[in-house]
Amino acid sequence: MKTTLPLTLILLLSGFSMSAQVVKDTVSKPVDSIALKQVVLPKVTIDKALTPEEAAAIKKMANQKQKEAEKMKITAERDVKKLEKEQRKLEKEQKRFEKEQKKIASAEKSLIKSKERLIKEKKQLEKMQAKLEKNKRKGKISEIDIEKENIKISKQQIKIKEIQEDIDKAEKKVNKLRN
């Protein structure tokens, strides 16, 4: 009684473990079972003699069956090659799509950085202009210094204009990539 309980548990557990399915990660190629079968010839009994016509007919039938099996094998191989080619084509298309998505993401990221840079430069321009106006009101600045500050402001405006042109180009690029 003491040994039957553990033995039955072991048998049950081993039965469950053996009934588990094995998962395969490979792709199986279809195989034409008809093409792999051997040509079956009708059996001839010894007591019955074959006429030459019957022997020729049996031989002809065997040749026809063999040719049919070879044709089926060739078509199966052709179908397998066609499926493999289509799969490679799909994989190539998927890689191309992923590459395009990466380009779009990169262009969008570049566009965002340019816009942030434009905002920063505009703030700096406003600070420069405000500082110049403040110094003019107080009368602490000479005419030469005013001209120097105006030159700096002009350079800053040119820089902002160039950044804006870069942003326009980047937006065109992103739109082109999306379409």
Side-chain angles (χ1 to χ4, degrees), residues 32-48:
D32 190 5
S33 61
I34 297 173
L36 297 177
K37 290 183 183 176
Q38 293 181 352
V39 176
V40 179
L41 296 174
K43 293 188 178 183
V44 178
T45 57
I46 297 175
D47 58 320
K48 183 180 175 187

Side-chain angles (χ1 to χ4, degrees), residues 83-94:
L83 287 173
E84 288 174 352
K85 186 176 179 180
E86 288 177 9
Q87 187 173 2
R88 284 193 303 269
K89 186 178 178 182
L90 288 173
E91 288 173 357
K92 189 175 180 180
E93 182 68 25
Q94 185 178 6

Side-chain angles (χ1 to χ4, degrees), residues 59-153:
K59 193 174 185 180
K60 186 177 180 181
M61 186 174 66
N63 285 340
Q64 284 178 344
K65 287 187 178 185
Q66 186 68 31
K67 286 180 183 179
E68 287 176 9
E70 288 175 7
K71 284 181 182 179
M72 294 178 91
K73 184 178 178 183
I74 290 171
T75 56
E77 289 173 355
R78 193 178 304 143
D79 290 342
V80 167
K81 286 180 182 178
K82 189 175 181 181
L83 287 173
E84 288 174 352
K85 186 176 179 180
E86 288 177 9
Q87 187 173 2
R88 284 193 303 269
K89 186 178 178 182
L90 288 173
E91 288 173 357
K92 189 175 180 180
E93 182 68 25
Q94 185 178 6
K95 286 180 183 179
R96 186 189 61 77
F97 178 75
E98 289 173 358
K99 189 175 178 181
E100 284 179 7
Q101 293 301 315
K102 285 181 182 179
K103 281 184 179 180
I104 291 171
S106 175
E108 287 175 344
K109 187 176 180 181
S110 173
L111 180 64
I112 290 170
K113 284 184 179 181
S114 294
K115 286 182 178 180
E116 289 173 352
R117 202 168 115 219
L118 178 68
I119 292 169
K120 181 181 172 184
E121 295 296 330
K122 282 184 178 180
K123 284 181 182 178
Q124 189 172 351
L125 176 65
E126 289 175 8
K127 283 181 183 178
M128 292 170 79
Q129 288 174 339
K131 184 179 177 183
L132 178 63
E133 291 300 318
K134 182 180 176 184
N135 286 337
K136 278 184 185 178
R137 277 181 278 146
K138 289 185 177 181
K140 291 183 175 180
I141 192 165
S142 67
E143 290 294 320
I144 296 172
D145 290 336
I146 291 173
E147 288 303 315
K148 286 181 182 178
E149 288 297 317
N150 281 335
I151 291 172
K152 287 182 184 178
I153 289 172

